[in-house]
Amino acid sequence: MITGIVYLVYLKRKERELIEQVTPITRGEWSERRVVLRLLKMGINPKAIFHDLYIQKPNGEYTQVDVAVATKVGIIVFEVKDYSGWIFGNEHQKYWTQLLAYGKEKHRFYNPVMQNSGHIQAIRQCLQQNPDTPIYSVIVFFGSSEFKDVTCNANNTFIIYPRSIQQVVSEILMQPNANFGNKYEIMNLFTKAVQNGNNPMIVSSQINSAAYYGRNTPQSTYTISFGNLFRFGGFSYRRRF
């Protein structure tokens, strides 16, 4: 038992050392750092992984991106969620639904496909020298959530469980190399965006903006009736290129 505990402590320390090649162990959410760790274990260069970015939009406001990866085929932008319960939604609905307690408790949250599309739009607006660079959207659901009726046909968009991160990223990396205008523009943008997260005023500004735009989010309820519930057909993700 002692040997097992010592080995577990050793593994945790090695994982921490890996993560800290990219980001401080205290920065962001645990689930975001797990995405970073999985990417590193895949062999992705730590210099190409950026965590907890604050991108400035043309109107001066900031949007927060969980994880971004610069690759030879383009940019991968991760939106990380941590939910339990059953998840329902598609790319056209403004709000998705989370069901708990076998359907007795319902919560709604902003469509993560739309949310990440907003992040990608903000990134594109900052990349004047790379207008044709492909950007892939990957939404990862951590926690004990289960996709009950989740569909998405949007191009270059994936909705997955954590266990599919390696498979999806590997498939993306098999795409043709991107036609970059200036790779340094991308790296400079992301490096500055990470540094923005060290500025309390920028972080506070982003939080206030997010709260303002989310002020009309529907309130949670505890009564609901859903029929024809079905599982995700054996697939852990949906993809379109």
Side-chain angles (χ1 to χ4, degrees):
M1 180 179 293
I2 294 176
T3 303
I5 293 174
V6 171
Y7 182 66
L8 181 60
V9 171
Y10 169 79
L11 287 180
K12 292 298 182 183
R13 187 182 69 189
K14 297 303 289 184
E15 287 185 349
R16 176 173 181 151
E17 291 174 356
L18 268 178
I19 292 171
E20 289 182 335
Q21 292 182 34
V22 173
T23 188
I25 198 67
T26 56
R27 182 160 178 165
E29 301 295 332
W30 170 87
S31 51
E32 297 167 7
R33 296 192 297 273
R34 298 307 293 182
V35 171
V36 170
L37 180 62
R38 287 170 184 258
L39 293 170
L40 289 167
K41 287 185 174 181
M42 284 184 62
I44 303 294
N45 189 329
K47 293 182 179 180
I49 305 172
F50 301 85
H51 170 234
D52 193 29
L53 307 87
Y54 288 77
I55 306 287
Q56 188 171 26
K57 298 186 288 186
N59 64 2
E61 295 178 349
Y62 289 86
T63 188
Q64 189 268 342
V65 175
D66 292 334
V67 180
V69 185
T71 79
K72 64 181 181 180
V73 302
I75 299 168
I76 307 175
V77 180
F78 289 87
E79 175 64 29
V80 183
K81 298 299 182 185
D82 200 338
Y83 285 102
S84 57
W86 296 341
I87 305 297
F88 300 80
N90 62 56
E91 75 265 37
H92 303 297
Q93 295 171 323
K94 186 174 183 179
Y95 297 102
W96 285 18
T97 301
Q98 173 197 33
L99 291 187
L100 299 169
Y102 298 100
K104 296 180 181 178
E105 182 178 339
K106 178 178 74 170
H107 302 277
R108 289 184 178 176
F109 58 97
Y110 185 61
N111 181 337
V113 176
M114 292 183 178
Q115 184 178 6
N116 217 30
S117 292
H119 297 159
I120 290 171
Q121 181 182 8
I123 291 171
R124 282 204 181 280
Q125 290 172 334
C126 295
L127 296 179
Q128 300 300 313
Q129 300 176 55
N130 292 276
D132 300 321
T133 299
I135 303 182
Y136 301 88
S137 175
V138 182
I139 296 99
V140 187
F141 276 81
F142 280 79
S144 57
S145 59
E146 180 180 352
F147 301 148
K148 279 293 183 179
D149 187 2
V150 174
T151 58
C152 180
N153 295 309
N155 290 334
N156 297 345
T157 299
F158 302 77
I159 305 169
I160 63 174
Y161 297 118
R163 63 176 179 265
S164 296
I165 291 174
Q166 181 172 347
Q167 179 182 354
V168 166
V169 172
S170 295
E171 289 193 20
I172 291 173
L173 294 178
M174 292 175 63
Q175 299 307 300
N177 289 352
N179 181 21
F180 294 103
N182 183 354
K183 294 181 181 179
Y184 292 105
E185 182 187 47
I186 297 172
M187 303 303 284
N188 291 339
L189 170 66
F190 288 168
T191 299
K192 182 179 179 181
V194 172
Q195 293 172 349
N196 286 341
N198 296 321
N199 186 327
M201 293 184 64
I202 291 177
V203 173
S204 177
S205 171
Q206 188 277 327
I207 292 173
N208 290 336
S209 295
Y212 175 80
Y213 289 115
R215 68 193 187 282
N216 294 323
T217 301
Q219 298 298 310
S220 300
T221 64
Y222 292 88
T223 58
I224 185 169
S225 175
F226 269 84
N228 299 323
L229 304 185
F230 57 91
R231 294 182 61 84
F232 210 21
F235 291 95
S236 60
Y237 65 92
R238 286 289 187 266
R239 67 183 180 89
R240 291 293 186 274
F241 284 109

